[in-house]
Amino acid sequence: ILNQISTWMTHNNRSRFYMLSELRQIMTDEEFGKVQDALTMSQSTKINVNTASEDVLKSVFRSLNHSDAEAESFVKRRTAEAFTAATLQTYLSGNLSNLTSAVTTTSSDFKVNLFATVGGYTRHIEAIINLSVSPYRVNYWREL
C-alpha cells in the first residue's frame, strides 16, 4: 500500500491526500475497512474529543509527541463526563497545550450510514458530510 501511495503521489505531484476518496482509490475495500475508523479528512479539521474513537485520539496524541497512556487517560476522563470548551481548555493546559490546535468539542463533519431496501435488496451508503456550509457538502461517499 505504501508503494502504491508513493507512486500515486509522485504521479500526481502531491505530498498529501486532501480527501479520503483519494486514499480510497488506492486501497481495496478490505484494506480501507481495517483503517477507516482511524482516518480523518484533512489536517485543517479538528477532532471532536467527545466523539472520536480511542484509536483516532491516540493517533492525534502520537502526532504531537504524546503517549498512548496520556490518550487513554484522556479517554477515561471524557467517559466520566463529556468535555465542554472550558473543561477541555483547562485539561489541556500545561504539557498537553500543543493539542489545542488539533482538538475541539464541536463537530461540523459527520459520518453517516444510509440504508435503503427495495425489492428485497438492501443498499448501504457511507458518507462524510460537512454541515458548516449551506446547505451541506458531501466530502466523501461510497457504497458498501
Side-chain angles (χ1 to χ4, degrees):
I1 294 171
L2 289 175
N3 287 335
Q4 292 170 332
I5 289 171
S6 176
T7 300
W8 183 90
M9 289 190 170
T10 300
H11 181 263
N12 292 287
N13 197 27
R14 302 270 296 279
S15 61
R16 66 179 177 162
F17 293 104
Y18 293 93
M19 300 282 294
L20 286 179
S21 57
E22 294 169 333
L23 180 59
R24 185 65 192 89
Q25 293 171 8
I26 294 170
M27 302 175 81
T28 66
D29 287 343
E30 182 181 347
E31 293 165 340
F32 190 78
K34 291 178 182 178
V35 298
Q36 69 182 1
D37 292 334
L39 300 174
T40 60
M41 291 185 310
S42 72
Q43 290 176 307
S44 62
T45 302
K46 288 187 174 188
I47 302 300
N48 184 330
V49 296
N50 292 315
T51 60
S53 71
E54 184 172 339
D55 287 338
V56 169
L57 288 173
K58 283 181 178 180
S59 176
V60 170
F61 271 64
R62 283 184 211 131
S63 72
L64 295 169
N65 301 315
H66 294 286
S67 69
D68 284 355
E70 289 172 305
E72 290 164 5
S73 174
F74 190 87
V75 170
K76 284 181 186 176
R77 162 54 182 85
R78 77 151 186 211
T79 301
E81 182 181 357
F83 282 100
T84 64
T87 58
L88 179 62
Q89 183 178 12
T90 300
Y91 191 88
L92 296 179
S93 63
N95 74 335
L96 297 177
S97 62
N98 66 335
L99 288 165
T100 303
S101 64
V103 296
T104 185
T105 57
T106 59
S107 298
S108 59
D109 297 304
F110 297 90
K111 180 178 178 181
V112 178
N113 286 288
L114 308 155
F115 297 88
T117 302
V118 177
Y121 294 98
T122 300
R123 293 288 196 221
H124 178 189
I125 302 290
E126 175 185 84
I128 304 295
I129 309 294
N130 181 299
L131 299 178
S132 67
V133 294
S134 183
Y136 62 86
R137 181 177 63 232
V138 177
N139 289 331
Y140 163 81
W141 74 274
R142 71 178 175 142
E143 183 175 356
L144 300 171

